[in-house]
Amino acid sequence: MNKSFTKSTVALLCLVVIWGISWPIYKVSAAFAPPLLFSGMRALLGGCLVTIIILKRRNRLNWRKNWPKYCISALLNTVLFFGLHTIGLGFLPGGLFSVLVYFQPVLLGVFAWMWLGEQMTPIKLLGLIIGFIGIVIVGLDGLTTHVSFIGVMLGLCTAFFWALGVVYVKKVSQEIDAYWMVAMQFAIGGMVLLIAGSMTESWSAIEWNSLYIFGLGFGATMGIPVAYVIYYSLVNAGEASKVGVYTFLVPVISVFVSTVVLHEPVTYKLLIGLILVGVSIYFVNRRTEKSAILTK
């Protein structure tokens, strides 16, 4: 049991670090390409990479039977999540938008309770709320710009569809190979985003410089294939809400990395947010472990 706990903990830490450094990388890279085309290229390349790696498992694809599930997941987790996320960053500062997007763990906990039958105790709910408050403190640090209503709605919709998409993947996890789910949802979703981008944006607007290529390459390798294989494997193996609460660390890491890169001082709000996120993780996991002991 200790080995299993250690493996899952290491996997979670790898996940939040990958996603944490993704925010500043994408923020820099997104300045050199239209949002839908950038999102579509990352998703399609990532999906194709996973497909190439798992071709030897092609007997588990079951396209004729599972194509509706692949398309639904692609709609929720790629087209709506990536699309709204990328567009929304154009309406709000990155910190505020990350706060709205990372309302997702709270929604995920509620949806998992409603549709997956996971336990929702007052302690767990309190932990999720404390974690979100920590993200609010971190994300709103230094906010002085006008807040766009459209941007706020896009952020909340991003969180909603992300949570809904994760619960859907967990719901059908016994029917579909997890690796093929990652490959198909991003390949299909990436193609849809590229088609939409080609109709509304200009390919000539892309600046193929080193920063853009690095961001695209990072997203197509670590940011999508590696991160989402880890994420869905953890969600399918355990409680979605338990895994989701660890993602509260992502914007904290993102702000910290941005601070280090820009040589800015670490603010007390960042430290307070980190402490609250730590308390949140403790509450959610402490209750889960206690419940597991009682059911033995």
Side-chain angles (χ1 to χ4, degrees):
M1 183 174 180
N2 290 332
K3 289 184 178 180
S4 177
F5 175 77
T6 301
K7 287 181 179 179
S8 63
T9 301
V10 171
L12 279 167
L13 290 176
C14 289
L15 176 66
V16 298
V17 168
I18 291 172
W19 276 351
I21 63 178
S22 294
W23 279 80
I25 290 175
Y26 293 158
K27 183 177 180 180
V28 172
S29 302
F32 303 106
L36 293 181
L37 291 177
F38 181 41
S39 297
M41 280 189 282
R42 290 198 331 260
L44 180 58
L45 289 173
C48 290
L49 177 60
V50 177
T51 300
I52 293 172
I53 294 173
I54 63 173
L55 270 178
K56 60 183 180 180
R57 301 163 61 97
R58 55 183 174 273
N59 60 309
R60 301 186 183 184
L61 174 61
N62 294 324
W63 174 258
R64 290 185 179 180
K65 176 183 177 182
N66 294 327
W67 71 266
K69 297 182 180 69
Y70 292 137
C71 290
I72 292 173
S73 183
L75 175 65
L76 295 173
N77 291 301
T78 305
V79 177
L80 292 174
F81 173 47
F82 274 22
L84 294 176
H85 169 260
T86 308
I87 294 172
L89 281 172
F91 289 87
L92 290 176
L96 175 56
F97 196 76
S98 68
V99 168
L100 298 171
V101 171
Y102 281 91
F103 186 56
Q104 185 262 7
V106 178
L107 294 175
L108 180 58
V110 174
F111 291 168
W113 167 63
M114 292 172 58
W115 295 318
L116 300 179
E118 293 188 3
Q119 187 181 30
M120 175 57 71
T121 65
I123 291 294
K124 179 181 286 189
L125 182 59
L126 177 62
L128 292 170
I129 293 174
I130 289 175
F132 180 65
I133 292 174
I135 299 306
V136 170
I137 292 175
V138 172
L140 297 184
D141 188 12
L143 179 65
T144 58
T145 58
H146 172 70
V147 176
S148 165
F149 174 76
I150 295 177
V152 170
M153 294 306 298
L154 287 172
L156 292 175
C157 286
T158 301
F160 175 81
F161 288 118
W162 184 16
L164 195 61
V166 172
V167 169
Y168 179 77
V169 170
K170 170 74 172 179
K171 190 77 173 176
V172 301
S173 61
Q174 301 301 317
E175 308 168 35
I176 295 183
D177 181 82
Y179 296 103
W180 277 113
M181 175 60 88
V182 172
M184 289 296 99
Q185 76 172 31
F186 287 117
I188 296 170
M191 286 189 287
V192 173
L193 287 172
L194 281 180
I195 292 172
S198 298
M199 296 173 63
T200 59
E201 299 170 345
S202 173
W203 283 87
S204 62
I206 300 176
E207 298 181 37
W208 294 93
N209 54 37
S210 58
L211 290 175
Y212 178 72
I213 293 174
F214 175 76
L216 181 62
F218 180 86
T221 53
M222 300 297 293
I224 291 178
V226 174
Y228 277 91
V229 166
I230 294 174
Y231 186 54
Y232 289 142
S233 296
L234 290 169
V235 168
N236 292 339
E239 289 192 29
S241 54
K242 178 181 175 181
V243 177
V245 73
Y246 275 88
T247 61
F248 279 135
L249 285 169
V250 173
V252 177
I253 293 174
S254 176
V255 172
F256 180 77
V257 170
S258 298
T259 298
V260 171
V261 172
L262 297 175
H263 304 290
E264 296 176 353
V266 177
T267 67
Y268 74 91
K269 290 183 179 180
L270 177 61
L271 296 177
I272 292 174
L274 180 59
I275 292 171
L276 290 176
V277 169
V279 171
S280 169
I281 292 173
Y282 172 76
F283 275 12
V284 172
N285 285 284
R286 174 179 176 272
R287 193 59 180 175
T288 301
E289 292 170 1
K290 184 176 179 181
S291 299
I293 293 173
L294 292 175
T295 56
K296 287 185 177 180

